[in-house]
Amino acid sequence: MMLVVAEQKAGRLNRASWEAIAAAQQLSAGSVPVSVAVLGSDVAAVAAELSAADVSGVWIVSHPQLASYTPDAFVAALAELVTALAPTHVCLPHTYQTRDFAPVLAARLDRVLITDVTGLSRRDGVPVFTRPMFQGKLVAEVVAEGPAPHFVSFQIGAFRADSATRGSGAPVTARPASLQGATLRQTAEAPFQESKAAVDLSQAERIVAVGRGIKAQEHLALAQQLAAAFNAELAASRPICDNGWLPMERQIGSSGQTVAPKLYVAVGISGAIQHLVGMKGARTIVAINKDAEAPIFEVADYGIAGDLFEIAPALIAELGKA
Amino acid sequence: MKIAVCIKQVPTRGWQPRLNDDRSWVRDADISYEMNEPDAYALEEALRLKEKHGGEVVVVSAGPARVQQVIREALARGADRAIHAQDDALGRADAAAAAATVAEAVRNEQFDVVLTGLQSDDQGHAQFGPVLAERLGMPHSTIIMEVQVVDGALRVKRELEGGWFQYLAMPLPALLTIQSGINQLRYATLKGIMAAKKKELRVVTPSAPVASRQRVLSLSLPLKAKQTVMITGAPADAARELVRRLREEARVL
Amino acid sequence: MERETLDVDILVVGAGPAGLSAALRLTQLQAAQGGAPLSIAVVDKAREPGAHSLSGALLDPSTLADLVPDFMAKGAPLACPVTNDNVYVLGPQKKFRLPITPPPFANHGNYVISLSHFVKWLAGQVEAAGVDLFMGFAGQSVLYEGTRVVGIRTSDRGVGKHGTSRGAVEPGADIRAKVTIFADGVRGHLTKDLLRTLQMGGSQPAQFAIGLKELWDVPADRLAPGTVIHTLGYPLRQEEFGGSWIYALPGGRLSIGLVVGLDYKDPLLDPHTAFQRFKLHPFVAGLLDGGQLVRFGAKALPEGGWNTQPALAADGALITGDAANFVNSMRLKGIHLAMRSGMLAADTACAAVRAGDTSVTQLGAYKAAVDASAIKRELYPVRNVHQAFGAGIVIGAAFAGLAMATGGRWPEDLQGHAGHTRMKTLSDYYGLEERDRLVGSNAVTPDRVLTFDKATSVHYAGVHHEENQPPHLLVQTDVCHSVCGPEFGHPCVKFCPANVYEMVDNGAGGRRLQLNASNCVHCKTCDIMDPYGVITWVAPEGGEGPHYDGM
């Protein structure tokens, strides 16, 4: 069987868990059952949510020391579980939390962990994992070696949460962790949010970026409205920041920030290579530019070759509906 | 305090990859290298800890002979001595294999704190630090933005997703992986560069072959699988069509 | 923070072929002579050796054989020997191969190399010999005591755009030396300061060209490694000096480039565009077909020859290499001359330090050595060739032929002129009526397969500069905003290969100069070619600039 480790925080399921389930289902392709484990101390609701997946079962791995996350507790609990269940693969979403404990877990069990996987295929019956290398400049196809289980973490957003097949309700079973003999060395305080003075575009899910096509500083207001309509952060290509129309922190490109949001709308940006290297990792790219030959269209999923001063207001109106 | 900093030598940021003939790896001949950026921040943090609490900073690097470039840079910035786990296979080894090699090389050192960057800019596994912690039997935390030493223990600020943070405490000895931007990097001075040549650089050969368990079948340039959908029509129609597709096809709205 | 100081016997400014040869030679002299150890330091603004080195290049190995006799055994990266020479004259579509290769273009015994790799290797030799190589330290100014050069001051680090600080500002270091060997390359900014301060200009003004270069990967069987091609003619016109090269390296790698004399008359000439047009010529396009651009770069080169060498010594200072204009523009070679001059400077500097006398008189031995060396034997006979090209390429070529035939005997040396003074105004060149209809006379729309725009070229030069630092181009912009437009049409926008200079809307109905300083590839063309002479290039923060891997 394959084991998916779901992630929750304060009783809320991290959506990336569904992506991991989808990935595991694809990896198995029906050959072995997929089950899910969720760790915590009060996670019945989360488990119930997970039981809607087409999986063979949901394990609640509970213990007072799992109430809030520490790597030692999670590694100890999962080491127990994995040893007991002996899955072929352990699948996790590549979240900050997974990055914190999964390598230790794999090392404790002396097994291989392949991280940041974006795709799956098979070669001679053996799973092949696709992952980025050299900051996304190259794509690698990798096979896992050594004894099972093989641990795999999946890049956030690489697999679609809604492509996880649903079932008719999987059984939920409690499997408390014993954590016997485990030394738990970390003490964690409660997480808190910091109001960031600087804008961090790398965290934005959606970005609207403007370039030279906006022509004059007074037209920035239109760009701001468009960003608001998309519920996106406003960013810019270098010339706009060089002119001082937007601060340097909003610059995307080789001399600014590199981003990979879910949606990137490039407005009046030609797509010079210095800009492209900063945003071509975005999942969905929309380009609006007067010049149909502009290089930006080469990386765009959707393009409108037209006058942004007409398209942008139309988009704002359209997004305002419903 | 005895502080170790694990530093990796990686191709420079601006490097354009070229694949070797069988596409099993990149063409080594052309590459210019530099210190992995998060490791540079880890080094700076180590130097600051030493300035505050006394002790020594030992830079540790695993790789072929060429990694002495970044070792010397680290010594020039103020590290006291260096350990080089040398083996050509380490040039391509995965993080877990490198960590096992380093663990062996530093086994007798008894470090109080081990710092390293959160991940490397080349293979990007984000595993080296945590695996090393496990091999050394140390507690760890990752993606650290602040380090305090309080009563012989560590209190660190860990970065979470979405602008959240968390403070964590753990006893020494411990390992941390450091986030870029935690501090301001210092420059190597002339005196530092000159002194680097005289500092101890111990070369260690791994006793067992370096064994990666991730086998790269092939490398390729990311395919432009995208077919750009050009949306035509009057602005209002085009806008409507775009929003529809973003909602229904791409599902980003 | 306190300013660091360092005292050495001999300081070498610049880690190119001249500087590194000087440093290596010093260690050899030290080893041979024994005695009190000489303290030697080499500084260079690039992050690593070779990062700012760019040339075609064909190496005449004669100097290397003198400096490092077992250079092959020591792994010198002489990529491949030249196997065949070809010279073509290009028309817009056609080509004509010269049946006989003119002697200056005959390269038997020479090697095709990557200068960047060569410099990297040479730096390795220097470091192995125990010399401190301080990479990433940009020179800010020369230190003087009266008329004596006592060293250099390096640039501050950590200074923000408007003079504020980015974190901690580290003041530049003062490196004081008994003898400073200047090897800071073509139009070296410290040498420029030295020449002006101590009035060391030569008998004739220096002359320059710009070389634009690309590395391409093409199918390995396209050209045999060691194939050397030079072309004249298209895309340059009769009135313009220059030509191109195409050198085949092993593994399907091609080095291609265009040299354009920085003494052209057309104020709107854009060397980068000329280079793109060159690549579109059927002959060149055929060689590049199916290939991939790997790297781009641009750098000026000295063209004026022997008569443009400055005074070579001052109290406590010697000038070597491209900074002294030691390039044979007929043979298109300067690396071996740079190395030779570095070695000779080392000999003189070492003897002077040992003798306790580093005055200009004592250091004059260097000039005497240069005069007695292969440098003069090579450069003197062709001393007027470039100056003759001032009368056009046909006359220049004829003159070059004569120079070869007569061994350079000529009753009176030709007078050369600083190239930027030959640029004509828009009215003179285009005529008053045409001025209103001005479009870049040689504009090319990039196809992004063979031809690229300047922004893309900059990307392929691997340029990196901290954005938040003061601009390193000092421009008297009142000229830009008043007379330059009507007179010359802002030629900086054209001659800069990296789009550093842009005239943008100033929001008040006019235009202003915008400096995209972080694009700069350190080629020095602007410092050379602006017709008013109001641009001064200074070094940006050390460790930055282009990354000429393999160039």
Side-chain angles (χ1 to χ4, degrees):
Chain A
M1 51 84 81
M2 290 187 186
L3 177 66
V4 177
V5 179
E7 181 172 308
Q8 61 84 26
K9 185 160 38 207
R12 292 190 59 197
L13 180 64
N14 186 327
R15 203 176 125 87
S17 311
W18 284 100
E19 297 172 14
I21 292 173
Q25 288 171 338
Q26 191 181 328
L27 180 61
S28 161
S31 65
V32 294
V34 174
S35 65
V36 188
V38 59
L39 282 71
S41 68
D42 190 8
V43 292
V46 172
E49 224 186 297
L50 289 166
S51 66
D54 181 14
V55 294
S56 61
V58 179
W59 310 103
I60 295 183
V61 179
S62 56
H63 192 284
Q65 294 279 30
L66 295 173
S68 58
Y69 166 79
T70 63
D72 280 357
F74 269 52
V75 167
L78 284 169
E80 274 178 46
L81 182 69
V82 170
T83 307
L85 294 179
T88 61
H89 292 83
V90 179
C91 300
L92 310 101
H94 192 66
T95 60
Y96 279 29
Q97 185 167 292
T98 297
R99 288 160 69 169
D100 199 52
F101 75 82
V104 179
L105 174 62
R108 182 151 313 169
L109 299 177
D110 193 23
R111 296 292 185 268
V112 66
L113 163 65
I114 302 183
T115 52
D116 207 22
V117 171
T118 52
L120 294 168
S121 60
R122 285 196 161 253
R123 193 86 43 93
D124 304 322
V126 164
V128 176
F129 302 99
T130 306
R131 64 183 302 277
M133 278 213 188
F134 300 99
Q135 301 193 292
K137 289 179 195 157
L138 289 176
V139 166
E141 288 195 314
V142 177
V143 293
E145 300 195 322
H150 296 158
F151 288 79
V152 188
S153 72
F154 294 95
Q155 190 182 92
I156 307 302
F159 291 80
R160 300 254 306 259
D162 52 22
S163 66
T165 54
R166 311 289 156 148
S168 44
V172 177
T173 317
R175 255 199 101 111
S178 85
L179 296 189
Q180 193 161 47
T183 38
L184 308 180
R185 299 161 292 187
Q186 295 98 352
T187 322
E189 299 172 30
F192 59 94
Q193 231 173 350
E194 243 172 30
S195 60
K196 288 187 145 196
V199 60
D200 184 1
L201 291 172
S202 63
Q203 299 284 355
E205 288 211 329
R206 301 185 203 151
I207 295 177
V208 168
V210 289
R212 280 211 147 115
I214 202 78
K215 290 214 165 39
Q217 192 166 13
E218 57 256 31
H219 301 314
L220 268 184
L222 178 61
Q224 261 144 0
Q225 286 167 37
L226 186 61
F230 270 110
N231 194 13
E233 285 283 0
L234 184 62
S237 65
R238 197 173 126 188
I240 304 295
C241 299
D242 277 349
N243 286 345
W245 296 353
L246 280 177
M248 288 305 248
E249 302 95 66
R250 297 225 172 238
Q251 185 188 126
I252 306 280
S254 58
S255 52
Q257 296 205 45
T258 301
V259 297
K262 293 208 172 89
L263 174 65
Y264 191 92
V265 183
V267 182
I269 291 178
S270 66
I273 190 162
Q274 285 90 340
H275 186 77
L276 293 186
V277 299
M279 45 66 72
K280 61 183 164 101
R283 272 224 290 144
T284 301
I285 298 172
V286 176
I288 303 168
N289 194 300
K290 216 166 39 176
D291 175 11
E293 300 298 311
I296 189 80
F297 288 114
E298 282 169 31
V299 301
D301 296 285
Y302 302 101
I304 302 182
D307 184 351
L308 71 91
F309 293 105
E310 291 183 357
I311 311 280
L315 273 173
I316 293 167
E318 186 63 35
L319 289 163
K321 298 179 191 168
Chain B
M1 288 189 83
K2 209 166 159 196
I3 308 164
V5 187
C6 299
I7 289 182
K8 190 171 188 188
Q9 184 196 45
V10 296
T12 53
R13 284 243 153 136
W15 167 72
Q16 319 268 28
R18 286 264 173 300
L19 297 175
N20 64 12
D21 288 324
D22 63 1
R23 297 182 40 220
S24 62
W25 199 243
V26 294
R27 283 230 288 245
D28 275 328
D30 276 338
I31 303 179
S32 249
Y33 294 98
E34 64 184 10
M35 190 184 294
N36 184 37
E37 192 186 71
D39 295 341
Y41 284 97
L43 171 65
E44 177 63 34
E45 197 60 24
L47 294 170
R48 290 180 186 216
L49 284 174
K50 173 186 138 174
E51 280 162 5
K52 209 166 169 188
H53 303 283
E56 69 168 343
V57 173
V58 182
V59 57
V60 183
S61 194
R66 58 171 165 77
V67 310
Q68 298 210 355
Q69 174 211 21
V70 298
I71 292 178
R72 288 214 284 134
E73 247 182 76
L75 292 172
R77 292 206 200 162
D80 298 290
R81 60 183 172 90
I83 300 171
H84 175 190
Q86 183 169 339
D87 190 305
D88 281 345
L90 287 165
R92 298 195 197 184
D94 67 27
T101 308
V102 167
E104 187 206 12
V106 306
R107 183 124 345 250
N108 297 324
E109 288 280 351
Q110 315 282 24
F111 291 116
D112 297 305
V113 177
V114 178
L115 301 182
T116 190
L118 77 169
Q119 72 180 59
S120 71
D121 286 345
D122 56 1
Q123 297 191 35
H125 297 296
Q127 295 191 44
F128 176 87
V131 173
L132 180 62
E134 177 66 11
R135 297 255 174 257
L136 294 177
M138 291 183 182
H140 81 292
S141 189
T142 59
I143 315 182
I144 300 303
M145 284 299 285
E146 195 186 299
V147 182
Q148 299 165 24
V149 179
V150 179
D151 299 325
L154 286 182
R155 183 170 181 258
V156 299
K157 182 173 158 194
R158 184 179 152 232
E159 183 180 305
L160 308 174
E161 282 110 333
W164 287 79
F165 297 87
Q166 181 181 41
Y167 277 99
L168 212 58
M170 71 195 88
L172 293 178
L175 181 144
L176 302 172
T177 78
I178 303 293
Q179 172 64 290
S180 288
I182 183 178
N183 51 39
Q184 186 107 54
L185 302 179
R186 71 190 59 191
Y187 299 98
T189 59
L190 297 175
K191 300 277 170 41
I193 294 171
M194 292 186 337
K197 295 196 320 202
K198 305 195 181 75
K199 291 179 176 172
E200 178 193 316
L201 205 183
R202 183 159 63 89
V203 178
V204 175
T205 327
S207 63
V210 175
S212 294
R213 278 176 170 167
Q214 296 194 39
R215 186 162 53 90
V216 175
L217 288 182
S218 76
L219 288 175
S220 55
L221 290 163
L223 266 179
K224 232 160 279 170
K226 292 191 195 237
Q227 281 286 53
T228 309
V229 173
M230 294 302 290
I231 297 173
T232 52
D237 298 323
R240 192 179 323 118
E241 177 64 8
L242 175 64
V243 171
R244 185 189 72 77
R245 288 201 185 233
L246 289 178
R247 230 173 232 139
E248 292 169 23
E249 262 178 18
R251 310 237 192 181
V252 288
L253 289 180
Chain C
M1 219 182 282
E2 286 232 349
R3 189 183 293 287
E4 218 189 346
T5 60
L6 178 65
D7 281 277
V8 297
D9 289 317
I10 300 172
L11 169 65
V12 178
V13 179
L20 291 174
S21 297
L24 190 57
R25 179 80 174 145
L26 285 170
T27 65
Q28 293 169 349
L29 292 169
Q30 170 83 71
Q33 297 168 359
L38 284 172
S39 57
I40 306 162
V42 182
V43 285
D44 193 282
K45 61 177 164 58
R47 197 181 71 84
E48 54 175 30
H52 292 180
S53 300
L54 177 154
S55 185
L58 298 177
L59 176 71
D60 170 335
S62 56
T63 312
L64 178 60
D66 286 345
L67 181 64
V68 186
D70 52 345
F71 60 83
M72 278 310 204
K74 290 212 162 103
L78 271 45
C80 59
V82 175
T83 52
N84 63 100
D85 276 307
N86 307 269
V87 181
Y88 292 89
V89 178
L90 297 183
Q93 294 294 315
K94 296 209 162 62
K95 67 181 191 297
F96 167 68
R97 187 171 180 280
L98 294 187
I100 302 172
T101 302
F105 292 102
N107 282 290
H108 181 73
N110 296 332
Y111 292 83
V112 184
I113 66 164
S114 150
L115 181 61
S116 168
H117 285 162
F118 182 73
V119 166
K120 211 172 194 170
W121 169 82
L122 196 53
Q125 301 298 304
V126 168
E127 286 196 296
V131 175
D132 284 313
L133 191 51
F134 298 113
M135 299 303 301
F137 286 85
Q140 182 189 80
S141 53
V142 180
L143 296 173
Y144 301 96
E145 269 167 20
T147 58
R148 163 168 280 277
V149 171
V150 296
I152 68 163
R153 172 168 291 178
T154 66
S155 306
D156 296 344
R157 296 191 282 195
V159 182
K161 207 167 209 164
H162 305 289
T164 52
S165 72
R166 305 187 318 259
V169 171
E170 193 189 271
D174 280 355
I175 309 177
R176 301 177 73 92
K178 297 175 183 147
V179 179
T180 302
I181 298 178
F182 286 81
D184 49 342
V186 60
R187 195 70 161 193
H189 66 288
L190 291 182
T191 295
K192 187 183 170 197
D193 176 73
L194 176 68
L195 298 181
R196 189 175 306 160
T197 306
L198 297 184
Q199 318 240 315
M200 290 167 72
S203 58
Q204 294 205 17
Q207 294 181 317
F208 302 92
I210 179 177
L212 300 110
K213 173 179 175 176
E214 286 176 354
L215 282 181
W216 282 74
D217 276 342
V218 299
D221 54 357
R222 183 67 51 80
L223 274 183
T227 301
V228 165
I229 297 170
H230 289 109
T231 79
L232 306 166
Y234 187 86
L236 298 175
R237 298 166 289 191
Q238 207 265 13
E239 70 192 45
E240 280 139 16
F241 174 83
S244 85
W245 77 82
I246 302 170
Y247 303 152
L249 293 147
R253 180 144 294 185
L254 290 187
S255 159
I256 72 169
L258 179 69
V259 173
V260 180
L262 289 177
D263 50 7
Y264 53 80
K265 298 182 185 150
D266 177 359
L268 297 181
L269 194 149
D270 184 328
H272 182 274
T273 303
F275 185 43
Q276 307 311 310
R277 296 175 92 209
F278 169 69
K279 287 186 282 172
L280 290 175
H281 187 283
F283 173 53
V284 185
L287 292 175
L288 297 179
D289 183 44
Q292 192 171 11
L293 175 65
V294 175
R295 197 132 10 254
F296 168 89
K299 199 159 184 181
L301 52 147
E303 288 278 359
W306 180 256
N307 284 341
T308 63
Q309 80 186 257
L312 296 179
D315 290 324
L318 293 168
I319 308 178
T320 65
D322 277 7
N325 297 323
F326 286 142
V327 171
N328 184 336
S329 58
M330 263 246 300
R331 276 180 85 204
L332 312 169
K333 290 190 183 51
I335 302 169
H336 67 301
L337 298 174
M339 293 175 71
R340 178 80 58 198
S341 69
M343 291 169 71
L344 297 176
D347 291 344
T348 299
C350 180
V353 169
R354 293 264 185 252
D357 174 3
T358 57
S359 66
V360 61
T361 321
Q362 176 77 19
L363 295 178
Y366 170 55
K367 168 67 174 160
V370 169
D371 283 347
S373 76
I375 300 177
K376 182 168 185 183
R377 280 198 295 282
E378 194 178 315
L379 290 183
Y380 188 76
V382 297
R383 68 196 178 285
N384 286 309
V385 166
H386 190 81
Q387 284 72 3
F389 278 97
I393 208 154
V394 173
I395 298 198
F399 196 85
L402 263 179
M404 285 189 303
T406 65
R409 275 184 279 281
W410 200 256
E412 197 181 286
D413 281 353
L414 298 181
Q415 180 62 35
H417 303 278
H420 68 285
T421 60
R422 283 173 37 103
M423 186 186 288
K424 290 193 182 267
T425 61
L426 290 170
S427 323
D428 287 345
Y429 195 83
Y430 287 99
L432 276 167
E433 314 80 48
E434 288 229 22
R435 272 183 55 189
D436 301 327
R437 297 186 275 116
L438 281 175
V439 168
S441 54
N442 47 3
V444 164
T445 310
D447 61 22
R448 297 198 301 273
V449 172
L450 279 181
T451 58
F452 305 92
D453 61 6
K454 287 183 179 179
T456 306
S457 295
V458 166
H459 179 83
Y460 279 90
V463 176
H464 175 76
H465 291 101
E466 168 63 53
E467 295 285 342
N468 187 11
Q469 67 173 301
H472 65 279
L473 301 138
L474 310 178
V475 186
Q476 291 169 39
T477 52
D478 47 318
V479 171
C480 314
H481 300 148
S482 57
V483 291
C484 186
E487 283 200 335
F488 292 98
H490 307 294
C492 59
V493 175
K494 302 281 187 210
F495 59 56
C496 173
N499 215 29
V500 169
Y501 297 89
E502 260 191 287
M503 295 306 295
V504 299
D505 191 346
N506 69 359
R511 299 216 284 169
R512 65 170 179 86
L513 177 70
Q514 176 175 287
L515 289 174
N516 304 317
S518 60
N519 284 358
C520 181
V521 294
H522 300 207
C523 73
K524 311 301 178 70
T525 301
C526 57
D527 191 276
I528 293 164
M529 196 52 179
D530 119 66
Y532 302 97
V534 297
I535 299 177
T536 305
W537 189 96
V538 300
E541 198 164 291
E544 305 186 323
H547 202 94
Y548 287 152
D549 224 348
M551 292 290 250

